[in-house]
Amino acid sequence: MTRPLDCSEPADAAAIALSVDRRQATPLGVQLVRQLREMILSGRMAAGSRLPSSRALAVDLGVSRATVVDAFDQLVSEGYLEGRHGAGMFVPSGIPGHAMAVGSRGVPDRQAARSSVQARPEPQRPFQVGAWDASLLPLANWTRRFARVWRVPSVELTGSQHPFGLRDLRLAIARHLEAWRAISVGAERIVVTSGTVDATELVVGAALPDGGAALVEDPGYPSLRHALQRQGVTIVPVPVDADGFDVAQLGSTAGARLAIVTPSRQFPLGATLPLARRLALLEWARRSDGFVVEDDFDSEYRYAGTPLPALTSLDRDGRTIYVGSFSKTLLPALRLGFVVLPERLVPAAERHLRRRGQTASLMMQPVLADFMASGDFATHIRRTRRIYARRLDALMAAGVELEGLLVLRPATSGMHLVADIGDALADRLDDRSVAAIARAAGVVVSPLADHFAGPPTRNSVLLGFAGFGEARIRTAIRTLARALRRAG
Amino acid sequence: MTRPLDCSEPADAAAIALSVDRRQATPLGVQLVRQLREMILSGRMAAGSRLPSSRALAVDLGVSRATVVDAFDQLVSEGYLEGRHGAGMFVPSGIPGHAMAVGSRGVPDRQAARSSVQARPEPQRPFQVGAWDASLLPLANWTRRFARVWRVPSVELTGSQHPFGLRDLRLAIARHLEAWRAISVGAERIVVTSGTVDATELVVGAALPDGGAALVEDPGYPSLRHALQRQGVTIVPVPVDADGFDVAQLGSTAGARLAIVTPSRQFPLGATLPLARRLALLEWARRSDGFVVEDDFDSEYRYAGTPLPALTSLDRDGRTIYVGSFSKTLLPALRLGFVVLPERLVPAAERHLRRRGQTASLMMQPVLADFMASGDFATHIRRTRRIYARRLDALMAAGVELEGLLVLRPATSGMHLVADIGDALADRLDDRSVAAIARAAGVVVSPLADHFAGPPTRNSVLLGFAGFGEARIRTAIRTLARALRRAG
């Protein structure tokens, strides 16, 4: 029972010495997580081992399939397992057992089972996508404004709030959109949100109250797909080509009434959607009595060339919904973003929000309104844009060390770039294995595979650069190159 | 076409001179809202008039039924219409046309259609349930702490956050629960939420991932019912008697695996759930492999007698989920609350939150953690408890002026009380009409009918007292008494 299992054929529960004890107080799922973790840490399940299917394991152990799926999911989130599309669960390849043992101190007990909850936050590591650099945030500016607006709050703050959010913030957002994105809109069409989840619920609540289908980019945001599915929306993935969302597919999408796109900079691949495609999307929305959702998540960060105005600025028929965020320009933990609605959706959005209630906190809304109205927000964006441009340059320059391992694709905008797995590795390693090797060396690269709705069509990883100083970027690239070369 | 319609028989669209014009740029729903608002303001539709059904109106006008339902909903939220259970839509009785005209300045145009979005916030009015008194908030204390924690943030704040929320805040909540509610729990089972919506999604995501049925108190929170239904949970309303949730109904609820209760103080009626019923609920949860959700929304505010410990403190089998909030002890706009999970639900909750993402802002979490750990939060609760007790006394004392109109029911806890419609009015007016008369006089009372899942079984209104000073309470009672006497 203790011989290493390194074959890629799945074993049954007995073969890998799993069992559960119903007399213990410990829940069955927790028992399962501990045993599997221990087997991986001890090397009894080697890298590349394939686990029995959740269905087979549930039958073998006499537990519900949900218990097994829960246990697998937890181990995936902890990095002990990885799912491969259509092929089941594997112990990630390329990670030596001891590397993982360091993370959990090799103690597969009650504490370890809860370690991720109890642990202190870890510093953000390069090249985590969406990481933010606290040293660049205007925190002293905010604490001054916070004291000013909240010490003796005005009736604007203490009165009954409209569910669309603080009026002053909506006015400041309107002015920002006019100046930066050529969108002319009154505050009455702007809704303050607590971020992507909230925005997606609002869009669906207002535009697809009875459910239906939505076109989403593939690859795209996994969290967007999850949020839509949770609300009963059917996902129709549309392939992304070199120019972004492939509008040629619009003909065969009968029934869909929502298309969610990232025209400024396709997430995650980076294409800017050409004007002809933007117009084709608007025409599709008009024809199908639907809406185009423009997710404009980091358009402020363009380092060369002139940005295209927002797709929303082309709309003459009230067919676009614009989704903006302060997660990239400021920090994700702020949990503030906004949605610009066409006038025809305002009543439905108000009804949705009055029924559901707000999730966006009021506390930072007047601070942000003040920060934007003073001009300091625009200054902050221009300043961080210069700094991020230098960080991108540093990453591209350091990238020569990755020759043959990763091919960094040049970018002129955004906060991350795409790197294809190079010839020295591509025949042996997929993006998830590369990510696992990097993680074991203390560097984060995000597998592109995680962003596909269907089977991945490209073997690449994402590297976020905006949150890390140039010296740290160079060091991390050196570490990454060493780890990949060893594995190659 | 311009004769007043004061009959209670519904007319057809032509009879009330409604029409829509498809050539106009204005959406059909907005046209409908404007025309109906104008007819009510001008007195062409008198108080008590019944509108055609949405179905009939949609057919008459050749628009979709959803357009009509949207228009009705907007007018209900603006106070121009009210729905009566099973009887359709009515112009609220007891409101003279001019009283409403003041609110919208009698301008039924494009501006008025959006007035609720564009308007500046109005001061909170007595006796709005859930109102908060800014003068009692420790705002200077918070601004000092905000500056301290955010000027040079620690790695606790700048590092990758656990989806359960800031660790320091979870530790402070654990200590608070131990001291105030006799609940012993480690921080690893506490999740910080952005409030009721977020908490409900988490509870369902963790405890009923595949949907199912939930027992809810009737009367109870309408927003809770909506939140559950939006997530595909079937609502099973359980009647509330003088002791709260009627556990005699537990036998006939086969299939339900969640019971959501307010044992400390039933919302909205105020009963404290006796120990025997608490034990019956726990036994039901054990037997049905389900969970009891204890919504403990304002238990800190008890003005007489000894509080019962939380239901959760009786739980030996990991069958309770405790939901707490800072909306009542501090302010709703903070959008921070928390959920205490049994250990067996921790992995599923973590998975739910990693997939869905956080909606709670991080910004105030360290401020609140610091405020709690310093002891200032406990001081704040004790101080506001003394003040609210005096406000409750002032309300009960002023209440004699309402003799025959409203019968205030004594309360020893909470932030609102229940008032039954008195003999002088009860034969002519229901709670919604009383609320409409009060609103026209500038006083807010909340109809109990809005809190029932089924037909209302009691003719009462709710009066929130915690958010308003004693002088204001006395003035508002005088105004209310005058308005009701005139209508009686």
Side-chain angles (χ1 to χ4, degrees), chain A residues 70 73 116 120 122 156 160 162 197 333 335 351 356 362, chain B residues 70 73 116 118 120 122 156 160 162 197 333 351 356 358 362:
Chain A
D70 277 8
D73 278 354
S116 81
R120 289 175 173 267
E122 282 188 20
E156 300 272 331
S160 300
H162 192 275
V197 181
R335 299 247 60 79
R351 204 175 65 250
R356 199 212 50 175
L362 180 67
Chain B
D70 278 9
D73 278 349
S116 81
Q118 292 194 317
R120 290 175 172 269
E122 281 189 21
E156 299 271 332
S160 299
H162 192 276
V197 181
R351 205 175 66 249
R356 201 213 47 176
Q358 273 274 71
L362 179 67

PDB file of all heavy atoms in Angstrom, chain A residues 70 73 116 120 122 156 160 162 197 333 335 351 356 362, chain B residues 70 73 116 118 120 122 156 160 162 197 333 351 356 358 362:
ATOM      1  N   ASP A  70     -15.866  18.228  -2.934  1.00  0.00           N
ATOM      2  CA  ASP A  70     -15.432  19.291  -2.007  1.00  0.00           C
ATOM      3  C   ASP A  70     -13.967  19.115  -1.619  1.00  0.00           C
ATOM      4  O   ASP A  70     -13.192  20.068  -1.612  1.00  0.00           O
ATOM      5  CB  ASP A  70     -16.249  19.245  -0.707  1.00  0.00           C
ATOM      6  CG  ASP A  70     -17.578  19.970  -0.855  1.00  0.00           C
ATOM      7  OD1 ASP A  70     -17.906  20.363  -1.999  1.00  0.00           O
ATOM      8  OD2 ASP A  70     -18.281  20.109   0.156  1.00  0.00           O
ATOM      9  N   ASP A  73     -11.746  19.963  -4.497  1.00  0.00           N
ATOM     10  CA  ASP A  73     -11.706  21.409  -4.726  1.00  0.00           C
ATOM     11  C   ASP A  73     -10.802  22.104  -3.720  1.00  0.00           C
ATOM     12  O   ASP A  73     -10.048  23.015  -4.057  1.00  0.00           O
ATOM     13  CB  ASP A  73     -13.107  22.006  -4.635  1.00  0.00           C
ATOM     14  CG  ASP A  73     -13.882  21.836  -5.929  1.00  0.00           C
ATOM     15  OD1 ASP A  73     -13.287  21.360  -6.907  1.00  0.00           O
ATOM     16  OD2 ASP A  73     -15.077  22.151  -5.952  1.00  0.00           O
ATOM     17  N   SER A 116      -5.023  27.561   5.736  1.00  0.00           N
ATOM     18  CA  SER A 116      -5.213  28.681   4.825  1.00  0.00           C
ATOM     19  C   SER A 116      -6.117  29.729   5.460  1.00  0.00           C
ATOM     20  O   SER A 116      -6.028  30.904   5.143  1.00  0.00           O
ATOM     21  CB  SER A 116      -5.761  28.211   3.484  1.00  0.00           C
ATOM     22  OG  SER A 116      -7.139  28.020   3.554  1.00  0.00           O
ATOM     23  N   ARG A 120      -1.536  34.112   8.432  1.00  0.00           N
ATOM     24  CA  ARG A 120      -1.451  35.539   8.188  1.00  0.00           C
ATOM     25  C   ARG A 120      -1.325  35.753   6.691  1.00  0.00           C
ATOM     26  O   ARG A 120      -0.823  34.891   5.978  1.00  0.00           O
ATOM     27  CB  ARG A 120      -0.233  36.106   8.911  1.00  0.00           C
ATOM     28  CG  ARG A 120      -0.454  36.108  10.399  1.00  0.00           C
ATOM     29  CD  ARG A 120       0.765  36.541  11.169  1.00  0.00           C
ATOM     30  NE  ARG A 120       0.351  36.650  12.554  1.00  0.00           N
ATOM     31  CZ  ARG A 120      -0.081  37.788  13.113  1.00  0.00           C
ATOM     32  NH1 ARG A 120      -0.119  38.900  12.422  1.00  0.00           N
ATOM     33  NH2 ARG A 120      -0.479  37.806  14.352  1.00  0.00           N
ATOM     34  N   GLU A 122       0.006  36.543   3.137  1.00  0.00           N
ATOM     35  CA  GLU A 122       1.351  36.529   2.571  1.00  0.00           C
ATOM     36  C   GLU A 122       1.528  37.753   1.682  1.00  0.00           C
ATOM     37  O   GLU A 122       0.573  38.197   1.061  1.00  0.00           O
ATOM     38  CB  GLU A 122       1.534  35.289   1.698  1.00  0.00           C
ATOM     39  CG  GLU A 122       1.784  34.051   2.514  1.00  0.00           C
ATOM     40  CD  GLU A 122       2.157  32.893   1.603  1.00  0.00           C
ATOM     41  OE1 GLU A 122       2.583  33.135   0.461  1.00  0.00           O
ATOM     42  OE2 GLU A 122       2.007  31.752   2.047  1.00  0.00           O
ATOM     43  N   GLU A 156     -25.708  64.637   2.876  1.00  0.00           N
ATOM     44  CA  GLU A 156     -25.455  63.751   1.726  1.00  0.00           C
ATOM     45  C   GLU A 156     -25.036  62.354   2.202  1.00  0.00           C
ATOM     46  O   GLU A 156     -25.286  61.356   1.545  1.00  0.00           O
ATOM     47  CB  GLU A 156     -24.306  64.295   0.864  1.00  0.00           C
ATOM     48  CG  GLU A 156     -24.522  65.667   0.281  1.00  0.00           C
ATOM     49  CD  GLU A 156     -25.216  65.610  -1.058  1.00  0.00           C
ATOM     50  OE1 GLU A 156     -25.046  64.598  -1.760  1.00  0.00           O
ATOM     51  OE2 GLU A 156     -25.940  66.552  -1.387  1.00  0.00           O
ATOM     52  N   SER A 160     -30.968  59.280   3.580  1.00  0.00           N
ATOM     53  CA  SER A 160     -31.300  58.040   2.870  1.00  0.00           C
ATOM     54  C   SER A 160     -30.552  58.025   1.547  1.00  0.00           C
ATOM     55  O   SER A 160     -30.698  58.946   0.746  1.00  0.00           O
ATOM     56  CB  SER A 160     -32.799  57.983   2.575  1.00  0.00           C
ATOM     57  OG  SER A 160     -33.518  58.017   3.765  1.00  0.00           O
ATOM     58  N   HIS A 162     -29.636  56.854  -2.240  1.00  0.00           N
ATOM     59  CA  HIS A 162     -30.198  56.194  -3.408  1.00  0.00           C
ATOM     60  C   HIS A 162     -29.459  54.879  -3.641  1.00  0.00           C
ATOM     61  O   HIS A 162     -28.242  54.830  -3.421  1.00  0.00           O
ATOM     62  CB  HIS A 162     -30.047  57.102  -4.626  1.00  0.00           C
ATOM     63  CG  HIS A 162     -30.846  56.615  -5.786  1.00  0.00           C
ATOM     64  ND1 HIS A 162     -30.376  55.666  -6.649  1.00  0.00           N
ATOM     65  CD2 HIS A 162     -32.100  56.886  -6.166  1.00  0.00           C
ATOM     66  CE1 HIS A 162     -31.318  55.405  -7.550  1.00  0.00           C
ATOM     67  NE2 HIS A 162     -32.374  56.126  -7.282  1.00  0.00           N
ATOM     68  N   VAL A 197     -18.686  41.024  -9.189  1.00  0.00           N
ATOM     69  CA  VAL A 197     -19.831  40.190  -8.834  1.00  0.00           C
ATOM     70  C   VAL A 197     -21.102  41.037  -8.821  1.00  0.00           C
ATOM     71  O   VAL A 197     -22.121  40.698  -9.431  1.00  0.00           O
ATOM     72  CB  VAL A 197     -19.666  39.585  -7.419  1.00  0.00           C
ATOM     73  CG1 VAL A 197     -20.843  38.700  -7.079  1.00  0.00           C
ATOM     74  CG2 VAL A 197     -18.362  38.826  -7.309  1.00  0.00           C
ATOM     75  N   ALA A 333      -9.092  45.706  -3.056  1.00  0.00           N
ATOM     76  CA  ALA A 333      -9.706  45.598  -1.741  1.00  0.00           C
ATOM     77  C   ALA A 333     -10.627  46.775  -1.427  1.00  0.00           C
ATOM     78  O   ALA A 333     -11.389  46.740  -0.472  1.00  0.00           O
ATOM     79  CB  ALA A 333      -8.617  45.484  -0.675  1.00  0.00           C
ATOM     80  N   ARG A 335     -13.064  47.521  -3.265  1.00  0.00           N
ATOM     81  CA  ARG A 335     -14.364  46.985  -3.657  1.00  0.00           C
ATOM     82  C   ARG A 335     -15.324  48.088  -4.086  1.00  0.00           C
ATOM     83  O   ARG A 335     -16.441  48.196  -3.586  1.00  0.00           O
ATOM     84  CB  ARG A 335     -14.979  46.119  -2.556  1.00  0.00           C
ATOM     85  CG  ARG A 335     -14.143  44.892  -2.176  1.00  0.00           C
ATOM     86  CD  ARG A 335     -14.747  43.553  -2.525  1.00  0.00           C
ATOM     87  NE  ARG A 335     -14.971  43.445  -3.955  1.00  0.00           N
ATOM     88  CZ  ARG A 335     -13.999  43.169  -4.853  1.00  0.00           C
ATOM     89  NH1 ARG A 335     -12.765  42.936  -4.507  1.00  0.00           N
ATOM     90  NH2 ARG A 335     -14.301  43.092  -6.123  1.00  0.00           N
ATOM     91  N   ARG A 351     -35.133  48.911  -9.652  1.00  0.00           N
ATOM     92  CA  ARG A 351     -35.987  47.902  -9.013  1.00  0.00           C
ATOM     93  C   ARG A 351     -35.124  46.757  -8.459  1.00  0.00           C
ATOM     94  O   ARG A 351     -35.309  46.306  -7.331  1.00  0.00           O
ATOM     95  CB  ARG A 351     -36.982  47.371 -10.042  1.00  0.00           C
ATOM     96  CG  ARG A 351     -38.222  46.814  -9.412  1.00  0.00           C
ATOM     97  CD  ARG A 351     -39.234  46.400 -10.450  1.00  0.00           C
ATOM     98  NE  ARG A 351     -38.767  45.300 -11.257  1.00  0.00           N
ATOM     99  CZ  ARG A 351     -38.437  45.392 -12.548  1.00  0.00           C
ATOM    100  NH1 ARG A 351     -38.512  46.539 -13.192  1.00  0.00           N
ATOM    101  NH2 ARG A 351     -38.020  44.334 -13.207  1.00  0.00           N
ATOM    102  N   ARG A 356     -32.797  43.947  -3.907  1.00  0.00           N
ATOM    103  CA  ARG A 356     -31.661  43.154  -3.467  1.00  0.00           C
ATOM    104  C   ARG A 356     -30.876  43.828  -2.376  1.00  0.00           C
ATOM    105  O   ARG A 356     -30.248  43.179  -1.561  1.00  0.00           O
ATOM    106  CB  ARG A 356     -30.746  42.877  -4.664  1.00  0.00           C
ATOM    107  CG  ARG A 356     -29.830  41.709  -4.411  1.00  0.00           C
ATOM    108  CD  ARG A 356     -28.513  41.900  -5.111  1.00  0.00           C
ATOM    109  NE  ARG A 356     -27.926  43.196  -4.849  1.00  0.00           N
ATOM    110  CZ  ARG A 356     -26.749  43.561  -5.259  1.00  0.00           C
ATOM    111  NH1 ARG A 356     -26.037  42.743  -5.993  1.00  0.00           N
ATOM    112  NH2 ARG A 356     -26.264  44.758  -4.977  1.00  0.00           N
ATOM    113  N   LEU A 362     -20.575  52.595   1.842  1.00  0.00           N
ATOM    114  CA  LEU A 362     -20.616  54.040   1.637  1.00  0.00           C
ATOM    115  C   LEU A 362     -19.323  54.716   2.097  1.00  0.00           C
ATOM    116  O   LEU A 362     -18.980  55.801   1.624  1.00  0.00           O
ATOM    117  CB  LEU A 362     -21.801  54.624   2.417  1.00  0.00           C
ATOM    118  CG  LEU A 362     -22.010  56.146   2.324  1.00  0.00           C
ATOM    119  CD1 LEU A 362     -22.405  56.551   0.920  1.00  0.00           C
ATOM    120  CD2 LEU A 362     -23.054  56.611   3.335  1.00  0.00           C
TER     121      LEU A 362
ATOM    122  N   ASP B  70     -42.756  46.640 -14.986  1.00  0.00           N
ATOM    123  CA  ASP B  70     -41.664  47.556 -14.625  1.00  0.00           C
ATOM    124  C   ASP B  70     -42.209  48.924 -14.246  1.00  0.00           C
ATOM    125  O   ASP B  70     -41.776  49.535 -13.272  1.00  0.00           O
ATOM    126  CB  ASP B  70     -40.712  47.748 -15.814  1.00  0.00           C
ATOM    127  CG  ASP B  70     -39.711  46.621 -15.922  1.00  0.00           C
ATOM    128  OD1 ASP B  70     -39.864  45.625 -15.190  1.00  0.00           O
ATOM    129  OD2 ASP B  70     -38.800  46.738 -16.751  1.00  0.00           O
ATOM    130  N   ASP B  73     -43.888  48.793 -10.912  1.00  0.00           N
ATOM    131  CA  ASP B  73     -42.903  48.672  -9.823  1.00  0.00           C
ATOM    132  C   ASP B  73     -42.257  50.014  -9.528  1.00  0.00           C
ATOM    133  O   ASP B  73     -42.044  50.381  -8.378  1.00  0.00           O
ATOM    134  CB  ASP B  73     -41.814  47.654 -10.194  1.00  0.00           C
ATOM    135  CG  ASP B  73     -42.282  46.226  -9.931  1.00  0.00           C
ATOM    136  OD1 ASP B  73     -43.337  46.082  -9.288  1.00  0.00           O
ATOM    137  OD2 ASP B  73     -41.605  45.294 -10.379  1.00  0.00           O
ATOM    138  N   SER B 116     -35.848  60.473  -8.708  1.00  0.00           N
ATOM    139  CA  SER B 116     -35.378  59.733  -7.540  1.00  0.00           C
ATOM    140  C   SER B 116     -33.887  59.439  -7.666  1.00  0.00           C
ATOM    141  O   SER B 116     -33.188  59.300  -6.667  1.00  0.00           O
ATOM    142  CB  SER B 116     -36.175  58.448  -7.346  1.00  0.00           C
ATOM    143  OG  SER B 116     -35.696  57.444  -8.178  1.00  0.00           O
ATOM    144  N   GLN B 118     -31.717  61.501  -9.361  1.00  0.00           N
ATOM    145  CA  GLN B 118     -30.936  62.734  -9.332  1.00  0.00           C
ATOM    146  C   GLN B 118     -31.016  63.458  -8.005  1.00  0.00           C
ATOM    147  O   GLN B 118     -30.164  64.274  -7.694  1.00  0.00           O
ATOM    148  CB  GLN B 118     -31.431  63.650 -10.443  1.00  0.00           C
ATOM    149  CG  GLN B 118     -31.094  63.077 -11.809  1.00  0.00           C
ATOM    150  CD  GLN B 118     -31.269  64.116 -12.892  1.00  0.00           C
ATOM    151  OE1 GLN B 118     -32.234  64.855 -12.885  1.00  0.00           O
ATOM    152  NE2 GLN B 118     -30.330  64.161 -13.813  1.00  0.00           N
ATOM    153  N   ARG B 120     -30.951  64.837  -4.286  1.00  0.00           N
ATOM    154  CA  ARG B 120     -30.014  64.738  -3.165  1.00  0.00           C
ATOM    155  C   ARG B 120     -30.654  63.876  -2.093  1.00  0.00           C
ATOM    156  O   ARG B 120     -31.875  63.799  -1.996  1.00  0.00           O
ATOM    157  CB  ARG B 120     -29.743  66.127  -2.608  1.00  0.00           C
ATOM    158  CG  ARG B 120     -28.929  66.944  -3.597  1.00  0.00           C
ATOM    159  CD  ARG B 120     -28.730  68.367  -3.178  1.00  0.00           C
ATOM    160  NE  ARG B 120     -27.782  68.962  -4.114  1.00  0.00           N
ATOM    161  CZ  ARG B 120     -26.471  68.978  -3.929  1.00  0.00           C
ATOM    162  NH1 ARG B 120     -25.947  68.483  -2.839  1.00  0.00           N
ATOM    163  NH2 ARG B 120     -25.673  69.499  -4.828  1.00  0.00           N
ATOM    164  N   GLU B 122     -32.351  62.618   1.167  1.00  0.00           N
ATOM    165  CA  GLU B 122     -33.207  63.291   2.142  1.00  0.00           C
ATOM    166  C   GLU B 122     -32.794  62.843   3.537  1.00  0.00           C
ATOM    167  O   GLU B 122     -32.387  61.705   3.729  1.00  0.00           O
ATOM    168  CB  GLU B 122     -34.658  62.875   1.936  1.00  0.00           C
ATOM    169  CG  GLU B 122     -35.313  63.601   0.799  1.00  0.00           C
ATOM    170  CD  GLU B 122     -36.792  63.316   0.765  1.00  0.00           C
ATOM    171  OE1 GLU B 122     -37.355  62.911   1.800  1.00  0.00           O
ATOM    172  OE2 GLU B 122     -37.385  63.477  -0.302  1.00  0.00           O
ATOM    173  N   GLU B 156      -0.356  42.736   6.722  1.00  0.00           N
ATOM    174  CA  GLU B 156      -1.707  42.191   6.948  1.00  0.00           C
ATOM    175  C   GLU B 156      -2.712  42.807   5.965  1.00  0.00           C
ATOM    176  O   GLU B 156      -3.703  42.194   5.616  1.00  0.00           O
ATOM    177  CB  GLU B 156      -2.190  42.513   8.370  1.00  0.00           C
ATOM    178  CG  GLU B 156      -1.349  41.950   9.479  1.00  0.00           C
ATOM    179  CD  GLU B 156      -1.778  40.556   9.886  1.00  0.00           C
ATOM    180  OE1 GLU B 156      -2.964  40.235   9.735  1.00  0.00           O
ATOM    181  OE2 GLU B 156      -0.925  39.787  10.338  1.00  0.00           O
ATOM    182  N   SER B 160      -1.927  39.191   0.244  1.00  0.00           N
ATOM    183  CA  SER B 160      -3.079  38.487  -0.311  1.00  0.00           C
ATOM    184  C   SER B 160      -4.059  38.203   0.819  1.00  0.00           C
ATOM    185  O   SER B 160      -3.698  37.573   1.809  1.00  0.00           O
ATOM    186  CB  SER B 160      -2.645  37.148  -0.911  1.00  0.00           C
ATOM    187  OG  SER B 160      -1.741  37.371  -1.946  1.00  0.00           O
ATOM    188  N   HIS B 162      -7.198  36.453   2.734  1.00  0.00           N
ATOM    189  CA  HIS B 162      -8.046  35.267   2.729  1.00  0.00           C
ATOM    190  C   HIS B 162      -9.473  35.685   2.382  1.00  0.00           C
ATOM    191  O   HIS B 162      -9.916  36.742   2.810  1.00  0.00           O
ATOM    192  CB  HIS B 162      -8.015  34.603   4.104  1.00  0.00           C
ATOM    193  CG  HIS B 162      -8.631  33.237   4.066  1.00  0.00           C
ATOM    194  ND1 HIS B 162      -9.983  33.037   4.163  1.00  0.00           N
ATOM    195  CD2 HIS B 162      -8.083  32.018   3.883  1.00  0.00           C
ATOM    196  CE1 HIS B 162     -10.229  31.735   4.063  1.00  0.00           C
ATOM    197  NE2 HIS B 162      -9.093  31.103   3.886  1.00  0.00           N
ATOM    198  N   VAL B 197     -27.266  40.394   1.979  1.00  0.00           N
ATOM    199  CA  VAL B 197     -27.249  39.748   0.657  1.00  0.00           C
ATOM    200  C   VAL B 197     -26.077  38.778   0.580  1.00  0.00           C
ATOM    201  O   VAL B 197     -26.213  37.609   0.216  1.00  0.00           O
ATOM    202  CB  VAL B 197     -27.094  40.794  -0.467  1.00  0.00           C
ATOM    203  CG1 VAL B 197     -27.112  40.125  -1.822  1.00  0.00           C
ATOM    204  CG2 VAL B 197     -28.158  41.867  -0.362  1.00  0.00           C
ATOM    205  N   ALA B 333     -24.652  51.662   6.205  1.00  0.00           N
ATOM    206  CA  ALA B 333     -23.827  52.041   5.058  1.00  0.00           C
ATOM    207  C   ALA B 333     -22.391  51.532   5.172  1.00  0.00           C
ATOM    208  O   ALA B 333     -21.633  51.570   4.216  1.00  0.00           O
ATOM    209  CB  ALA B 333     -23.838  53.555   4.888  1.00  0.00           C
ATOM    210  N   ARG B 351     -14.640  27.499  -0.791  1.00  0.00           N
ATOM    211  CA  ARG B 351     -14.751  27.274  -2.236  1.00  0.00           C
ATOM    212  C   ARG B 351     -15.718  28.291  -2.856  1.00  0.00           C
ATOM    213  O   ARG B 351     -15.425  28.891  -3.888  1.00  0.00           O
ATOM    214  CB  ARG B 351     -15.241  25.849  -2.475  1.00  0.00           C
ATOM    215  CG  ARG B 351     -14.841  25.321  -3.818  1.00  0.00           C
ATOM    216  CD  ARG B 351     -15.245  23.881  -3.973  1.00  0.00           C
ATOM    217  NE  ARG B 351     -16.673  23.716  -3.977  1.00  0.00           N
ATOM    218  CZ  ARG B 351     -17.384  23.140  -3.026  1.00  0.00           C
ATOM    219  NH1 ARG B 351     -16.785  22.638  -1.968  1.00  0.00           N
ATOM    220  NH2 ARG B 351     -18.692  23.037  -3.124  1.00  0.00           N
ATOM    221  N   ARG B 356     -16.580  32.989  -6.200  1.00  0.00           N
ATOM    222  CA  ARG B 356     -17.434  34.142  -6.402  1.00  0.00           C
ATOM    223  C   ARG B 356     -16.700  35.449  -6.222  1.00  0.00           C
ATOM    224  O   ARG B 356     -17.039  36.465  -6.824  1.00  0.00           O
ATOM    225  CB  ARG B 356     -18.615  34.084  -5.429  1.00  0.00           C
ATOM    226  CG  ARG B 356     -19.753  34.921  -5.885  1.00  0.00           C
ATOM    227  CD  ARG B 356     -20.505  35.507  -4.724  1.00  0.00           C
ATOM    228  NE  ARG B 356     -19.620  36.095  -3.724  1.00  0.00           N
ATOM    229  CZ  ARG B 356     -20.052  36.736  -2.664  1.00  0.00           C
ATOM    230  NH1 ARG B 356     -21.344  36.803  -2.433  1.00  0.00           N
ATOM    231  NH2 ARG B 356     -19.204  37.272  -1.804  1.00  0.00           N
ATOM    232  N   GLN B 358     -14.950  38.332  -3.261  1.00  0.00           N
ATOM    233  CA  GLN B 358     -15.429  39.070  -2.099  1.00  0.00           C
ATOM    234  C   GLN B 358     -16.265  40.258  -2.523  1.00  0.00           C
ATOM    235  O   GLN B 358     -16.009  40.860  -3.567  1.00  0.00           O
ATOM    236  CB  GLN B 358     -14.208  39.623  -1.356  1.00  0.00           C
ATOM    237  CG  GLN B 358     -13.611  38.704  -0.365  1.00  0.00           C
ATOM    238  CD  GLN B 358     -14.316  38.851   0.975  1.00  0.00           C
ATOM    239  OE1 GLN B 358     -15.464  38.436   1.101  1.00  0.00           O
ATOM    240  NE2 GLN B 358     -13.663  39.435   1.936  1.00  0.00           N
ATOM    241  N   LEU B 362     -12.200  46.020   2.089  1.00  0.00           N
ATOM    242  CA  LEU B 362     -11.185  45.856   3.131  1.00  0.00           C
ATOM    243  C   LEU B 362     -10.978  47.137   3.943  1.00  0.00           C
ATOM    244  O   LEU B 362     -10.527  47.094   5.080  1.00  0.00           O
ATOM    245  CB  LEU B 362      -9.857  45.450   2.473  1.00  0.00           C
ATOM    246  CG  LEU B 362      -8.660  45.246   3.403  1.00  0.00           C
ATOM    247  CD1 LEU B 362      -8.865  44.042   4.308  1.00  0.00           C
ATOM    248  CD2 LEU B 362      -7.373  45.094   2.594  1.00  0.00           C
TER     249      LEU B 362
END
